Amino acid sequence: MRTLEQTTREVLDLAAKHFQLPAGSLAPEDDFFKKLGIDSLQTLEMLSRLENHFGIELPDYEVQGVSDFKTLAERIQSRL
Amino acid sequence: MKSFKGKTLRWEWREGCIELTLDHEPANEIGTAMLEELEIFAGGFGTLAPETSACIISSARKSVFSAGGDLRELYHHAMSIPEGERLKGIRRFLERIHAVMNAIDATPFVTIAAVHGACFGGGLELALACDIIVADKMARFAFPELRLGFIPGFGGVPRLKRDLGNAVVRDLLFTGRTLNASRAHALGLVAQLAGEGEALRVARSTATQVSKYDPVARAAAKEFMKPVPHEELREEIDIFCELFTRPEVMAALKKFVEDSGPMPYLP
């Protein structure tokens, strides 16, 4: 079972890779909409990538209003 | 007509397979322009059917198969005409799109939706009219219509019910949530899962396999296995029209059209 710290790290690494950013350039408290400047379709792509990576289903309404990686990782952790 | 290039889509017939490519900015929304070209497409089935074994429907747009009905056009058109005439206009549009979907649904050849990215609302309804859905593992499916105060109107509910358990249909409709490709595959909505960027290649391979079998047996099997739910489809149009006349719908459409947030499909 992953710890929340591990999950958070994997979320950050995955986001950095997906958006082609240098490793370690994202922080748990970052607002990903502001930091990544993503639109609705990119948000869905990221959701798919997270679900595929963690092997979970994360309904959109559970991450609605979530804008930082730390809270996103917590939502994922609750589904692991 | 063995090839066509319109403003919203194009198709080409080659060696017994029709490839229809949706290509309408920004997200293959199905409005009047795409409907007119889909009508031309469906109008050619009679001529092409005897020499066609398969048809693949895919998208040229990045990250999206189709975002569904053109809600911006729907809203602006509805606002431009007197309230009393709105219902007549929307019913006419639905009758026309249903005729296209029913024609795709009932072709004697095999229809394959090669889906990548977002496949929402009317886009999912188009995919559901096909016999086989091949999905890229990054594809997502949703029926977000209830957020606007109506139900899917292009034949989605009867066709989803035809293929899946009613419990799944209720979950998708009542939550409006998006479903990833793996889950859609596990539920039986998606027939074949493809790797990222591979849906069209897998669909072409499937079309080649399909072409090896006897066309008469194939058409008979399809008619037997996949009856078009005409009665429920008629009922769907009536329910949609009944819901559409409510002021809540125009308010929701206005909110959607003006929303520039990252998840406008989900209120």
Side-chain angles (χ1 to χ4, degrees):
Chain A
M1 176 81 177
R2 290 175 175 93
T3 64
L4 178 59
E5 287 69 28
Q6 286 170 324
T7 301
T8 307
R9 178 49 51 200
E10 286 177 47
V11 169
L12 292 171
D13 290 347
L14 210 68
K17 193 178 171 193
H18 182 71
F19 293 103
Q20 297 173 325
L21 296 169
S25 61
L26 299 172
E29 293 75 21
D30 281 344
D31 182 317
F32 45 78
F33 291 120
K34 284 183 185 163
K35 185 95 179 183
L36 304 171
I38 54 179
D39 61 21
S40 58
L41 290 177
Q42 289 171 314
T43 306
L44 286 170
E45 276 183 11
M46 195 58 217
L47 189 59
S48 291
R49 207 165 286 290
L50 290 167
E51 286 182 329
N52 289 340
H53 176 81
F54 289 102
I56 57 164
E57 225 187 330
L58 194 61
D60 325 50
Y61 50 81
E62 284 199 8
V63 291
Q64 200 180 23
V66 174
S67 58
D68 64 281
F69 291 108
K70 184 172 175 287
T71 313
L72 178 61
E74 286 168 359
R75 297 284 198 277
I76 291 169
Q77 190 73 13
S78 72
R79 290 265 172 175
L80 291 176
Chain B
M1 200 180 336
K2 290 198 169 177
S3 68
F4 174 87
K5 188 169 179 4
K7 289 178 182 169
T8 68
L9 54 83
R10 58 181 178 271
W11 76 79
E12 190 172 11
W13 182 96
R14 196 188 302 143
E15 296 173 7
C17 182
I18 309 167
E19 285 200 15
L20 171 71
T21 308
L22 309 178
D23 193 3
H24 182 42
E25 284 190 29
N28 284 333
E29 288 86 352
I30 305 171
T32 313
M34 188 175 282
L35 172 59
E36 283 170 5
E37 293 182 350
L38 283 171
E39 286 176 325
I40 298 170
F41 172 66
F45 287 171
T47 315
L48 290 175
E51 49 183 347
T52 300
S53 55
C55 169
I56 298 170
I57 302 179
S58 66
S59 157
R61 309 303 310 164
K62 188 180 179 292
S63 307
V64 65
F65 176 76
S66 168
D70 191 339
L71 299 176
R72 284 176 179 79
E73 180 188 84
L74 178 66
Y75 174 70
H76 292 304
H77 179 70
M79 290 303 286
S80 70
I81 56 174
E83 207 174 320
E85 289 176 30
R86 281 178 197 161
L87 189 56
K88 198 175 158 190
I90 190 69
R91 183 176 281 277
R92 177 72 193 126
F93 184 90
L94 292 177
E95 300 277 0
R96 289 173 61 195
I97 193 74
H98 270 243
V100 169
M101 296 289 189
N102 292 349
I104 293 171
D105 199 333
T107 57
F109 46 83
V110 174
T111 48
I112 305 167
V115 176
H116 72 272
C119 181
F120 291 176
L124 177 50
E125 292 172 296
L126 177 59
L128 282 166
C130 295
D131 302 327
I132 296 169
I133 299 178
V134 174
D136 180 309
K137 69 176 185 182
M138 293 287 282
R140 297 194 79 85
F141 302 86
F143 270 137
E145 282 82 354
L146 258 72
R147 81 200 191 286
L148 298 167
F150 48 76
I151 61 168
F154 299 176
V157 175
R159 290 196 170 94
L160 194 63
K161 274 173 63 183
R162 179 177 64 182
D163 291 344
L164 299 183
N166 217 333
V168 181
V169 181
R170 289 195 298 271
D171 177 21
L172 283 181
L173 250 72
F174 292 154
T175 66
R177 73 188 179 103
T178 64
L179 200 64
N180 68 37
S182 302
R183 181 74 176 136
H185 183 235
L187 291 169
L189 171 63
V190 166
Q192 296 188 42
L193 262 186
E196 244 179 288
E198 294 293 321
L200 186 55
R201 188 197 60 76
V202 171
R204 284 175 176 152
S205 161
T206 305
T208 302
Q209 175 63 17
V210 158
S211 70
K212 295 173 184 170
Y213 298 144
D214 176 65
V216 176
R218 187 175 57 223
K222 177 164 169 173
E223 199 176 346
F224 174 56
M225 286 187 292
K226 190 170 167 256
V228 179
H230 288 290
E231 201 172 311
E232 285 193 334
L233 289 166
R234 297 298 318 164
E235 201 178 339
E236 181 196 88
I237 294 177
D238 291 340
I239 295 170
F240 187 100
C241 290
E242 193 180 314
L243 291 169
F244 191 77
T245 52
R246 298 172 314 129
E248 289 87 347
V249 171
M250 289 310 290
L253 278 172
K254 182 174 188 291
K255 191 176 168 210
F256 174 84
V257 167
E258 291 171 354
D259 190 346
S260 59
M263 295 170 97
Y265 58 91
L266 196 75

